[in-house]
Amino acid sequence: MAPVRLGACAHIGTTIMGDTVARITRWLGALALGVGVVLGPLSAFAAGGVIDRIVIEGTQRIEPDTVRTYMTVREGEAYDPAQVDRSLKSLFETGLFADVSIQQAGGTLTVKVVENPIINRISFEGNRRIEDDVLEKEIQLRPRVVFTRVKAQEDVQRILDLYRRSGRYAVSVDPKLIQLDQNRVDLAFEINEGPSTTVRRISFVGNEHFSDSDLREVIETSEEAWYRFLSSSDTYDPDRLNYDRELLRRFYLKRGYADFEVKSAVAELSSDKESFFITFTVSEGNRYRFGPVGLETTLEALNPEALRSEIDVAEGDWYDADKVEKIIQRLTDKVGTLGYAFLDVRPRVTRDPEKRTIAITFQIDEGPRVFVERIDVNGNMRTHDEVIRREVALAEGDAFNSAKLRRSRSRIQDLGYFEKVDVTNEPSPTAPDRTVVKVNVQEKSTGEVSFGVGWSSSVGAMVEVGVRERNLLGRGQDLKAAVSWAQRRSQVDLSFTEPYFLGRRLRAGVDLYALERDLQEESSYDYRSVGTSLRLGFNYNDVLSHSFKYTAEFTDILDMDDDASVFIRNQDDQTVVSMVGHTLTYDKRDSRLNPKDGYFISLGNDVAGLGGTEYFLRSDLKAGYYAPLGDWMDWNPAWTLSVRGQAGYIFGLGKDVNINQRYNLGGSNLRGFAAAGASPRDASTDDALGGNWIGTGTVEVGVPLGLPDDLGLSGRLFSDVGMIGRPDDYDRSLMDSASSPRLSVGGGVTWVSPIGPIAIDVGFPVIKKSFDETELLRISFGSRF
């Protein structure tokens, strides 16, 4: 009998005996019609006979009885070609066999199998851009599992997709098998990565109000350039392209183009498969202003007028979708604090294309009574569940609130531990008034090793090495250490922060530091300090925070020049500061690292004298305001305005304030003047003595340089003003000092380099005193100076 294989039914050849049997069967069938009897056994014999025995051959690891369980054919049953074909398919579908054949000889059915081998080891060859551990997580085959060609091809496709997401479309992957004894194999994926597939050109069609260069700065994808060797933004990524569509939509909606639409985003691969040409086709539509802005509610006890302060837009303003979303968030939070657990805040929009206005009425209704049944967290391989759960603004059993759901996503994203964060909810299968919150995250590396070399006007040439882990052991703790050596300063820092102290939203931390500073140029002495600080902070809400700090510091005056000022020589050589302080901050900036919109105000007080040798009270007030000029004046959005100021006052408590604790004016807080260059100084030695109060202010305009964002270069124009008061306990006749204002103007650039930000400022004093020391060029390395 010929073997039966996948996709082919058993076939019995036409023979003379077969024809005779067929004629007899037809005759008996006709007879059965007359008497109502069906000759089943004879029909079975005509189809191939009865299976008396099933023999399994070729098995090595798999028991023959296991093979029989996968078959639909059984001993004692009639031979049926359809059943045999189904058995054959069932055996192949197990993935255990490379080949299967079924043969019939009389009443014996012989099943011959060739088992798939067991994978001994999996290796990757030729991969330089993607590490082995990343590829291992992507594929489904593993050592000690059965090898199948189907799974191997699926893994090849997974590897190809992974490389294409990183911008390599010319990649090829070839799986190779190395035969071993005992039906084992080594599987090697031979990878030819090919060249990186970059984006050669990005074009826009349909944009009239913004140029191609303006829109290229909005999206994440960028055109290939020689200076982007440290960036991957110029490689083609389809996921990033979808994100770019969303960025364009947000950009236009923020500027009032409510009808904006991305018609298409087409990426065309060049014939050499080395580059893409991307074309965005957009429809800008008209620009709208806000029409009448109203507030209505169906909640009887709620007075809409009490919520008017939460609406910060007015009729005639340019329409801004971001502001609408923020208003919805604020209204939800505000009404929620009034005791309304179930809310539904929706904007009712009325668009007038002729007048180009959008009237909005914020409708506040009672929402459906839905409770949170449970919170599922997935995707976190290293981070503990509790680190994520404590950032979710909802708890199991709480009334469901969509605004809190959105806030939860922002809080988890702000941790900085995850590449992607997705927070959703879906109906519970157990009850209609229950919902399940699902948090899906994709982790990223949280460890940092930094190394930098540079030069600063304050400390000269320097080298800095730092190590930081922002998610220590997956517990959300922050541990960092840094060492820096410079010509005029050396410093060691070690700090640890626990963001949830005692299981509450309390940020607790400890700092250890040692600092040695050369102040010979400014004040004719060096000093060394060693200290520790204990910190505790918490947030009243999303914008108001409070922190407390205790500091113990030992300071030693070193290498005092023989010609140093008498005021400096009269200082104590060694001092011990035991100080407690607090800082209250109200912060509504869009970013604390690179703010472009919003404002902040901060008040801090320090009291020294709880032990130690120093006794003083110090108060500092800081404030800043940031605004995008481009939004106001239809300029390039890179134009920004910032206004910052600081005021401080320190006075002794029964004892003079030591020189190391006083304020100095000049340098980083008054560009165009040397470090401490505008501070009170000894008239005879020219040593800076510092002051007991200070006030500084800066007006700065961010200026686009017309260069691609990937270069990391930004420009600015600035004007600094400052005033400083002379020490109260010194003989003023022996000092050069003036509390009148100093003023400077200038410009500068910042380069966010691979080894840290480098700032270059050129300042010109406009108002100064004859004894002030000026400085035309100031170079700063890193964010420390």
Side-chain angles (χ1 to χ4, degrees), residues 251-485:
F251 175 80
Y252 273 93
L253 289 180
K254 181 178 176 62
R255 286 154 181 80
Y257 295 90
D259 296 329
F260 174 79
E261 182 182 0
V262 179
K263 295 291 188 180
S264 65
V266 179
E268 299 176 274
L269 183 63
S270 63
S271 57
D272 57 7
K273 295 185 178 182
E274 294 185 1
S275 59
F276 273 91
F277 299 86
I278 297 178
T279 303
F280 291 94
T281 302
V282 302
S283 174
E284 292 182 328
N286 295 321
R287 192 178 189 189
Y288 288 79
R289 294 183 182 271
F290 279 108
V293 180
L295 182 62
E296 296 180 359
T297 180
T298 57
L299 303 176
E300 295 181 359
L302 183 63
N303 180 13
E305 295 304 319
L307 305 174
R308 281 286 177 180
S309 59
E310 305 299 329
I311 301 177
D312 58 355
V313 297
E315 184 175 358
D317 293 347
W318 287 114
Y319 176 77
D320 187 337
D322 286 354
K323 288 186 176 181
V324 173
E325 182 63 29
K326 290 177 181 178
I327 291 173
I328 295 173
Q329 179 72 53
R330 289 198 297 269
L331 289 173
T332 303
D333 294 342
K334 182 69 174 181
V335 179
T337 61
L338 300 177
Y340 296 91
F342 303 96
L343 288 176
D344 184 17
V345 181
R346 296 186 181 184
R348 196 167 66 241
V349 176
T350 304
R351 186 175 306 186
D352 188 339
E354 294 182 0
K355 296 182 180 179
R356 296 183 183 178
T357 60
I358 296 178
I360 293 183
T361 300
F362 293 95
Q363 183 70 38
I364 304 175
D365 299 320
E366 186 175 8
R369 292 181 173 271
V370 178
F371 297 88
V372 178
E373 180 179 272
R374 70 176 189 274
I375 300 172
D376 296 338
V377 179
N378 299 297
N380 52 316
M381 306 297 293
R382 189 168 67 95
T383 305
H384 292 201
D385 274 12
E386 62 177 293
V387 174
I388 300 173
R389 288 180 179 274
R390 66 196 185 192
E391 300 300 331
V392 179
L394 294 164
E396 293 171 350
D398 283 357
F400 177 74
N401 186 305
S402 58
K404 289 185 178 180
L405 193 74
R406 291 192 296 269
R407 192 190 316 161
S408 300
R409 183 192 181 282
S410 298
R411 281 164 50 167
I412 297 172
Q413 188 74 61
D414 290 345
L415 291 174
Y417 308 156
F418 308 108
E419 191 74 35
K420 294 181 181 179
V421 177
D422 188 21
V423 182
T424 59
N425 71 293
E426 59 184 39
S428 168
T430 60
D433 63 342
R434 297 289 187 269
T435 187
V436 178
V437 175
K438 292 187 173 292
V439 181
N440 295 298
V441 299
Q442 180 181 331
E443 290 186 313
K444 66 179 181 181
S445 175
T446 55
E448 302 173 7
V449 177
S450 60
F451 174 79
V453 295
W455 185 87
S456 167
S457 303
S458 300
V459 299
M462 64 161 292
V463 177
E464 182 174 85
V465 178
V467 178
R468 183 181 185 185
E469 174 53 63
R470 295 180 290 110
N471 187 15
L472 185 65
L473 301 177
R475 300 180 181 274
Q477 299 163 335
D478 191 343
L479 177 65
K480 56 183 176 181
V483 180
S484 64
W485 300 270

Side-chain angles (χ1 to χ4, degrees), residues 38-57:
V38 178
L39 300 180
L42 186 57
S43 299
F45 176 76
V50 176
I51 301 173
D52 297 325
R53 191 163 61 108
I54 299 177
V55 178
I56 309 298
E57 297 180 357

Side-chain angles (χ1 to χ4, degrees), residues 469-623:
E469 174 53 63
R470 295 180 290 110
N471 187 15
L472 185 65
L473 301 177
R475 300 180 181 274
Q477 299 163 335
D478 191 343
L479 177 65
K480 56 183 176 181
V483 180
S484 64
W485 300 270
Q487 289 177 292
R488 301 181 57 200
R489 188 192 70 186
S490 297
Q491 184 167 348
V492 178
D493 293 290
L494 178 65
S495 74
F496 173 79
T497 301
E498 167 57 66
Y500 264 76
F501 185 58
L502 299 178
R504 300 178 179 272
R505 297 186 69 85
L506 297 173
R507 297 180 303 276
V510 58
D511 303 309
L512 300 172
Y513 60 90
L515 171 68
E516 186 169 329
R517 185 72 188 271
D518 178 354
L519 296 176
Q520 294 290 340
E521 292 185 9
E522 296 93 341
S523 303
S524 301
Y525 71 92
D526 301 337
Y527 81 90
R528 178 189 300 133
S529 64
V530 179
T532 182
S533 297
L534 301 177
R535 297 174 277 109
L536 183 67
F538 59 92
N539 287 22
Y540 293 105
N541 51 45
D542 290 341
V543 296
L544 185 61
S545 62
H546 208 163
S547 63
F548 297 87
K549 186 176 184 180
Y550 171 77
T551 302
E553 181 180 88
F554 171 79
T555 301
D556 192 8
I557 302 296
L558 306 171
D559 299 329
M560 186 179 297
D561 195 277
D562 294 337
D563 297 329
S565 167
V566 64
F567 301 114
I568 296 176
R569 291 202 302 271
N570 289 338
Q571 299 285 314
D572 295 334
D573 290 341
Q574 296 182 342
T575 59
V576 177
V577 176
S578 177
M579 178 174 64
V580 63
H582 80 103
T583 303
L584 183 65
T585 303
Y586 187 81
D587 193 342
K588 296 199 71 173
R589 292 174 293 179
D590 59 347
S591 169
R592 297 186 180 183
L593 297 177
N594 186 26
K596 295 183 178 180
D597 194 7
Y599 62 92
F600 81 95
I601 185 169
S602 173
L603 174 64
N605 302 102
D606 298 308
V607 179
L610 306 176
T613 62
E614 298 300 296
Y615 302 88
F616 60 82
L617 173 64
R618 178 168 57 205
S619 296
D620 290 288
L621 178 66
K622 300 178 182 178

Side-chain angles (χ1 to χ4, degrees), residues 8-77:
C9 294
H11 173 71
I12 302 176
T14 302
T15 63
I16 296 175
M17 180 179 179
D19 291 339
T20 302
V21 170
R23 285 195 296 270
I24 294 173
T25 302
R26 288 195 295 270
W27 181 80
L28 290 175
L31 181 61
L33 290 174
V35 297
V37 177
V38 178
L39 300 180
L42 186 57
S43 299
F45 176 76
V50 176
I51 301 173
D52 297 325
R53 191 163 61 108
I54 299 177
V55 178
I56 309 298
E57 297 180 357
T59 55
Q60 299 181 37
R61 301 182 312 273
I62 303 171
E63 293 294 331
D65 287 342
T66 302
V67 178
R68 292 187 180 94
T69 61
Y70 291 121
M71 300 175 61
T72 60
V73 176
R74 297 288 182 266
E75 293 177 353
E77 295 180 353

